[in-house]
Amino acid sequence: MNQAGSEFAPPTAYPTANGPVSVTAADFSGDGKPDLAELLAARRPSTFVIYINTTA
């Protein structure tokens, strides 16, 4: 996160599945850290992928 008087860190690219439609962040694993959910509506039936935050 940005701190007062400093700059943002460089961006980090994360791989996604084919056909992402939407991404949201929430604590899906209940550990207090934000995880990511990616909706893949290009697939039938629509599916999603959850990326669990494994940082310390």
Side-chain angles (χ1 to χ4, degrees):
M1 298 300 287
N2 191 21
Q3 296 179 357
S6 63
E7 297 179 10
F8 285 103
T12 301
Y14 295 97
T16 65
N18 291 332
V21 173
S22 179
V23 175
T24 190
D27 182 11
F28 296 105
S29 61
D31 61 2
K33 298 183 289 187
D35 307 306
L36 296 177
E38 175 184 20
L39 175 63
L40 307 171
R43 297 182 183 178
R44 297 288 179 226
S46 294
T47 57
F48 63 92
V49 178
I50 295 180
Y51 299 95
I52 301 297
N53 185 343
T54 59
T55 60

